[in-house]
Amino acid sequence: MIFYFSGTGNSRWAAEQIAALTGDKALDIIALDPVPDLHNEAQIGLVFPVYAWGVPEPMLAFAQSLGKTDAFTFGVCTCGEEAGYTMKKLSAVYPLRSSYSLVMPNNYVIGSELDDEMTVRHKIDTASAELQTIAQEILQRKPVYRVSEGTHAGLKSGMVNFGFNRFARSTKSFYATDACNGCGLCARHCPTQTITLADGKPRWGKQCYQCLRCINACPQRAIQYGKQTETRGRYTIDPYVKSR
Ligand SMILES: Cc1cc2nc3c(=O)[nH]c(=O)nc-3n(C[C@H](O)[C@H](O)[C@H](O)COP(=O)(O)O)c2cc1C
Ligand code: SF4
Ligand code: SF4
């Protein structure tokens, strides 16, 4: 069984690719009710995005809730560039036999401009080939640690990640412009269900994973985060993989 968390689709797609290549199933941890019985599972995989060189809160909590297992356990984090000690941190709460990072298009639009079209396509093609190798290694039950940790991984996955979770997950800077047509998609798809519609416009509550699905997936590009996102692009994987 493969479990995933995903904001803009990269990790969902990666989990679905591995599931198809290994004859398994991929399930979204946000939609699980209840967690299936895992006693007879031959393999258990966790797939998720890197957030500030660490594991997103919902995936960490999910991994902590899983019991001991004799299954072959593996984890794949998707990232724009580098993962730091993300997989070591996950393995500390849920021991993994294999750990991978997979470079995919960056979705952190509130931090910087996103990848251009050519880079997005190149990253998805490269990831697609890498997933074939990962799936083969999983089927062979080969223990692998292939993670692009980058530089200063201890500092980034330590203090910087702590700072992100403590101070950078506020919803205060989100707002919708007049381009919003009140379709409600952002509210329906928010994994923390923190968005509600009031007078046909989204309003943000407090609990936020910073998955950035709302801002990236709004069909009207009506969501902004402060001033910095006004001139930047948006990214979700859907238009790139639908035609494949
Ligand atoms: C809050 C946040 C923090 C991020 N931090 C990192 C990071 O530390 N390193 C990195 O390479 N990419 C980082 N990214 C980029 C994502 O990890 C990357 O785009 C990922 O593939 C998105 O996966 P998803 O589409 O499944 O949500 C970050 C993205 C977000 C939203
Ligand atoms: S997805 Fe965009 S257009 Fe639809 S309600 Fe949300 S902000 Fe408005
Ligand atoms: S408010 Fe937006 S960024 Fe925060 S969890 Fe919901 S969809 Fe993700």
Side-chain angles (χ1 to χ4, degrees):
M1 192 88 65
I2 299 168
F3 297 101
Y4 67 84
F5 170 71
S6 182
T8 54
N10 289 348
S11 311
R12 183 197 68 228
W13 174 78
E16 286 169 350
Q17 297 297 301
I18 299 170
L21 291 163
T22 61
D24 206 339
K25 248 205 245 173
L27 299 178
D28 183 348
I29 60 166
I30 298 298
L32 282 181
D33 187 25
V35 177
D37 179 9
L38 299 176
H39 279 99
N40 294 323
E41 288 302 314
Q43 60 182 38
I44 298 174
L46 304 177
V47 185
F48 56 92
V50 171
Y51 287 173
W53 299 276
V55 187
E57 181 196 317
M59 184 49 86
L60 202 58
F62 177 75
Q64 271 160 344
S65 76
L66 294 173
K68 284 197 169 162
T69 179
D70 291 330
F72 183 82
T73 56
F74 64 92
V76 179
C77 64
T78 72
C79 59
E81 200 177 339
E82 57 175 39
Y85 290 157
T86 297
M87 298 312 292
K88 288 178 177 158
K89 288 174 83 177
L90 181 61
S91 223
V93 303
Y94 187 69
L96 299 168
R97 303 269 290 280
S98 280
S99 294
Y100 300 92
S101 65
L102 188 69
V103 172
M104 293 211 60
N106 177 29
N107 69 352
Y108 194 50
V109 61
I110 68 178
S112 63
E113 180 53 285
L114 301 183
D115 296 327
D116 60 36
E117 180 97 11
M118 235 175 71
T119 309
V120 167
R121 290 187 188 281
H122 178 69
K123 281 183 167 182
I124 293 173
D125 285 346
T126 309
S128 189
E130 171 66 7
L131 283 166
Q132 303 270 345
T133 309
I134 291 175
Q136 282 311 308
E137 289 167 344
I138 291 168
L139 287 170
Q140 291 161 8
R141 305 296 188 233
K142 198 170 162 183
V144 175
Y145 183 86
R146 193 158 63 244
V147 177
S148 301
E149 293 181 344
T151 56
H152 309 295
L155 179 72
K156 290 170 177 168
S157 297
M159 262 170 55
V160 179
N161 180 261
F162 175 83
F164 165 76
N165 281 307
R166 189 92 166 74
F167 306 112
R169 283 173 44 186
S170 164
T171 55
K172 277 194 186 140
S173 300
F174 281 122
Y175 65 94
T177 66
D178 289 345
C180 169
N181 63 9
C183 72
L185 190 103
C186 52
R188 282 198 300 281
H189 291 177
C190 168
T192 62
Q193 299 182 319
T194 204
I195 305 175
T196 49
L197 283 202
D199 301 326
K201 282 271 175 87
R203 195 178 277 168
W204 280 260
K206 282 200 172 132
Q207 203 209 350
C208 176
Y209 297 143
Q210 290 279 295
C211 74
L212 303 191
R213 184 183 298 172
C214 53
I215 187 167
N216 278 301
C218 168
Q220 305 301 319
R221 293 200 173 197
I223 300 179
Q224 302 293 347
Y225 191 88
K227 286 243 157 263
Q228 71 262 36
T229 55
E230 283 172 7
T231 55
R232 292 180 188 158
R234 298 292 188 267
Y235 171 78
T236 69
I237 198 169
D238 296 338
Y240 297 96
V241 293
K242 268 193 179 133
S243 54
R244 278 165 182 250

